């Protein structure tokens, strides 16, 4: 989580030079190269049935990351992560059918209500919040489709191929924004750092962790992500949250931890 949020803070620091669309293009393309070198997927052996699963997975990866970076350009990192985290929270709640799950839903709704820009004095960009909600839908879809990919293709090669598909989706957007003409050696190195911190390194760590701890424990630990995002924004980007916004972060964290704990079939929240 520290790696992911550190990568997000580094990416946002690149926005003035590249913009969010070009930054996410650089991240996804370089992530695909890194994961391809690490896992060396045998693309020629992928069947038509497997492509029908992995192509939607890659499209979701591209759109999820694009909408999150567009949101990140408009609202603080901590708030963007908190809103986006409602996606995996929804998956966890839907995976558990107990009456107490309504409590977790209520906590999450209250948290989002504290973030929502009900009036202009809140100084929160409504488009940024909306984009983060779209990213949340993408993250929930990623979990559900990713589960199918993991059953059809080994985990490492599956993600590597999915990231390759995501590159094919995002690259035309980057080219339309003249990403190549804006690149410098420094930005290329920073982009590689974002790719490693946000994709390659945390993915590897998560796979190691999941071999050592139960999935439910993993899910509960993942509920710390909004707080880590908020702290990363504060320490690395000097983004200060109001007391109401910190309360929102804590409410979404409590909802996520509670929903994961209550779920008999806890979902594994793996990020790419």
């Amino acid at each position: 989580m520290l790696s992911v949020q550190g990568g997000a803070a580094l990416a946002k620091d690149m926005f003035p030079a590249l913009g969010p669309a070009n930054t996410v293009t650089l991240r996804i393309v370089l992530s695909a190269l890194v994961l391809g070198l690490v896992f060396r997927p045998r693309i020629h052996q992928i069947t038509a049935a497997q492509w029908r699963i992995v192509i939607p997975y890659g499209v979701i990866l591209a759109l999820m990351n694009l909408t999150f970076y567009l949101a990140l350009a408009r609202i603080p990192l901590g708030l963007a992560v908190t809103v986006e985290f409602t996606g995996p929270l929804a998956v966890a709640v839907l995976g558990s059918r107990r009456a107490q799950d309504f409590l977790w839903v209520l906590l999450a709704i209250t948290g989002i209500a504290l973030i929502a820009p009900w009036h202009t004095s809140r100084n929160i960009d409504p488009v940024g919040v909306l984009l983060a909600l779209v990213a949340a839908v993408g993250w929930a879809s990623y979990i559900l489709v990713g589960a199918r990919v993991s059953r059809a293709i080994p985990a490492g090669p599956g993600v590597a191929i999915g990231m390759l598909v995501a590159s094919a989706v995002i690259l035309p957007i980057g080219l339309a924004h003249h990403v190549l003409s804006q690149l410098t050696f420094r930005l290329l190195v920073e982009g590689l750092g974002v790719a490693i911190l946000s994709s390659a390194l945390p993915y590897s760590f998560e796979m190691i962790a999941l071999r050592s701890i139960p999935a439910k424990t993993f899910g509960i630990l993942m509920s710390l992500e909004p707080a880590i995002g908020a702290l990363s924004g504060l320490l690395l980007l000097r983004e200060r949250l109001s007391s109401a916004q910190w309360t929102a972060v804590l409410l979404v964290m409590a909802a996520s931890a509670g929903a994961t704990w209550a779920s008999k079939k806890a979902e594994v929240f793996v990020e790419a």
Side-chain angles (χ1 to χ4, degrees):
M1 286 183 279
L2 289 171
S3 180
V4 169
Q5 299 310 320
L10 177 59
K12 186 164 185 176
D13 203 42
M14 296 170 64
F15 287 178
L18 284 180
N22 285 344
T23 302
V24 76
T25 299
L26 196 59
R27 172 199 163 174
I28 289 177
V29 170
L30 291 177
S31 294
L33 291 174
V34 171
L35 291 171
L37 289 172
V38 171
F39 294 108
R40 300 184 181 277
R42 298 178 179 180
I43 297 176
H44 63 282
Q45 294 182 356
I46 302 298
T47 65
Q50 290 172 323
W51 278 117
R52 284 194 292 270
I53 299 173
V54 80
I55 287 176
Y57 174 72
V59 172
I60 290 168
L61 270 175
L63 298 180
M64 175 182 70
N65 284 289
L66 176 62
T67 51
F68 178 72
Y69 274 36
L70 291 173
L72 196 57
R74 293 173 174 269
I75 60 177
L77 174 59
L79 299 189
V81 174
T82 299
V83 176
E84 189 194 29
F85 207 75
T86 58
L89 171 60
V91 174
V93 169
L94 292 174
S96 181
R97 304 181 182 278
R98 299 181 181 184
Q100 69 189 47
D101 291 336
F102 288 104
L103 170 62
W104 316 129
V105 173
L106 181 61
L107 284 178
I109 290 174
T110 304
I112 298 303
L114 289 172
I115 294 174
W118 300 111
H119 41 79
T120 54
S121 62
R122 297 289 293 275
N123 199 31
I124 295 296
D125 189 318
V127 176
V129 175
L130 180 61
L131 286 165
L133 284 171
V134 175
V137 174
W139 197 354
S141 303
Y142 163 79
I143 292 171
L144 298 174
V145 177
R148 295 182 60 200
V149 172
S150 67
R151 291 191 293 268
I153 307 173
V159 172
I161 296 171
M163 198 65 75
L164 184 64
V165 174
S167 297
V169 173
I170 204 70
L171 192 55
I173 297 174
L175 293 175
H177 286 81
H178 310 290
V179 62
L180 295 178
S181 64
Q182 295 178 19
L183 273 182
T184 64
F185 179 75
R186 180 182 64 83
L187 289 173
L188 188 62
V189 172
E190 289 182 359
L192 182 61
V194 171
I196 292 173
L197 287 172
S198 297
S199 297
L201 194 61
Y203 175 76
S204 302
F205 283 171
E206 285 171 354
M207 292 300 100
I208 294 170
L210 284 167
R211 288 199 293 265
S212 307
I213 60 175
K216 180 175 288 189
T217 303
F218 180 83
I220 293 171
L221 289 172
M222 283 294 292
S223 67
L224 294 172
E225 185 126 32
I228 292 177
L231 289 172
S232 297
L234 176 63
L235 297 175
L236 302 177
L237 300 171
R238 298 183 180 179
E239 295 176 340
R240 298 182 180 274
L241 303 185
S242 67
S243 56
Q245 291 164 355
W246 273 110
T247 303
V249 170
L250 294 174
L251 286 173
V252 171
M253 288 171 56
S256 176
T260 306
W261 181 261
S263 176
K264 290 181 179 179
K265 296 180 179 180
E267 297 287 346
V268 176
F269 305 148
V270 179
E271 296 173 89

